[in-house]
Structures are given as structure tokens and as C-alpha cells.
Amino acid sequence: MSNFVVDQLGFVRRQTVDYVRSISDADAEIIPAGLKNNIIWNLGHMYVVFEKFAFQLTGEETNDPANFSKLFSPGTKPSDWDIEPPTKSQIINLLTEQMERVESVLSSNLKEEINPHYKSSTGNTYSTVEQLLGFLIYHEAMHFATIKNIKSIINNS
């Protein structure tokens, strides 16, 4: 079943994954001067937040690889890492599988109410699966833009 929100979420995820595939592993680990995070962190962060909004908050089974929350939750940064992060390729595989789970698990439950409703740190309240996925479109696009910005800084260094 096709749905605009799921389609748009898939679109921005594909754009991100296709873009980062061409970035070298070395470049994906560079933290440009003045920034806190690198491309790897942004990809892992997208995965962690997506798991929370698409699966945890909807009552579905999550797939949180070991140490992902420690590495990629809001407020974390590579300079604090004391464990080896996953590779760009590993995260890309997880991001691809994650969208497949949305399509198979959530696409038929979009209008379902979530309980309890979720109030974000910015004061927005989400009450349905579709609303949570709608937020993820914004979140994914914001981090895609950040990734492109980081790559542009690296290219111009």
C-alpha cells in the first residue's frame, strides 16, 4: 500500500544513502573545524532516532545494534567515543534494512494511535504512527543537508 509519508521518507533515505555511498571512508570520519560531528555520526544518529520514532514509540520491535545509543544518541560526539564505531558500509546496510522494516511493519498501521502520545523536546505532540514518520522526514532531510555541508567543507579544505 502506497502512502505519501512512507514514500517521502523512503525518498529522503534513498537520497542520503545514494549520496554517502560515494564518500570515502576516510572522508566520512573527518570532523571539520568548528563542528562536533562527522558523516558517520550523522548516519548513525539518523538510525538511532529513526528506531525510536518509527519502532519504539509505536510499540514495535526495535533493532538497536550494540553501542549504537552510546555512540549516536542526541548529545553524543565522536570525540567522546571510547569504542570503535561501525563502518559507513555497516550503517548503510542498517539504514537500508530499516526502511524495509517500515514498509513491511508500519505501512498498514499509519493511522493507528500511539499510547502514550509522544511530546517532543520542542513541544510537538505526536499521536499516530503517521505523525511520527512525518517528523522523521524532517529529521532525515536535516541530517542529509548536514552531511552535504560536511562534505562540501571537506572538499574545499
Side-chain angles (χ1 to χ4, degrees):
M1 174 177 151
S2 183
N3 171 277
F4 180 77
V5 171
V6 173
D7 291 347
Q8 288 299 298
L9 191 52
F11 170 76
V12 73
R13 174 61 61 91
R14 283 187 305 278
Q15 293 296 305
T16 304
V17 167
D18 289 347
Y19 183 81
V20 299
R21 281 188 202 281
S22 65
I23 297 173
S24 74
D25 290 349
D27 280 357
E29 294 177 7
I30 294 172
I31 301 170
L35 299 181
K36 296 184 301 182
N37 294 307
N38 57 22
I39 291 169
I40 292 290
W41 183 89
N42 277 274
L43 294 171
H45 176 74
M46 288 168 61
Y47 184 88
V48 167
V49 170
F50 198 103
E51 279 299 304
K52 177 180 180 178
F53 277 75
F55 299 106
Q56 180 188 339
L57 294 175
T58 64
E60 297 293 340
E61 186 177 336
T62 59
N63 179 22
D64 291 315
N67 297 317
F68 260 56
S69 290
K70 183 178 181 180
L71 295 168
F72 303 118
S73 288
T76 62
K77 57 188 183 295
S79 63
D80 293 337
W81 292 348
D82 58 4
I83 54 176
E84 190 71 23
T87 65
K88 182 186 76 162
S89 178
Q90 289 169 323
I91 300 174
I92 286 172
N93 289 340
L94 287 166
L95 290 167
T96 301
E97 179 271 337
Q98 197 175 48
M99 253 333 283
E100 292 168 0
R101 283 191 293 133
V102 164
E103 292 167 0
S104 67
V105 174
L106 296 176
S107 62
S108 61
N109 304 340
L110 296 172
K111 301 298 182 189
E112 282 187 17
E113 188 168 344
I114 59 163
N115 285 305
H117 294 173
Y118 179 74
K119 188 169 185 171
S120 73
S121 60
T122 58
N124 291 333
T125 299
Y126 302 98
S127 58
T128 67
V129 172
E130 188 171 47
Q131 289 171 356
L132 291 170
L133 297 182
F135 164 78
L136 287 172
I137 295 169
Y138 159 77
H139 187 258
E140 296 260 326
M142 181 180 67
H143 283 280
F144 179 43
T146 299
I147 288 167
K148 289 174 76 174
N149 183 51
I150 290 170
K151 181 61 175 152
S152 175
I153 293 169
I154 291 167
N155 288 347
N156 292 319
S157 296

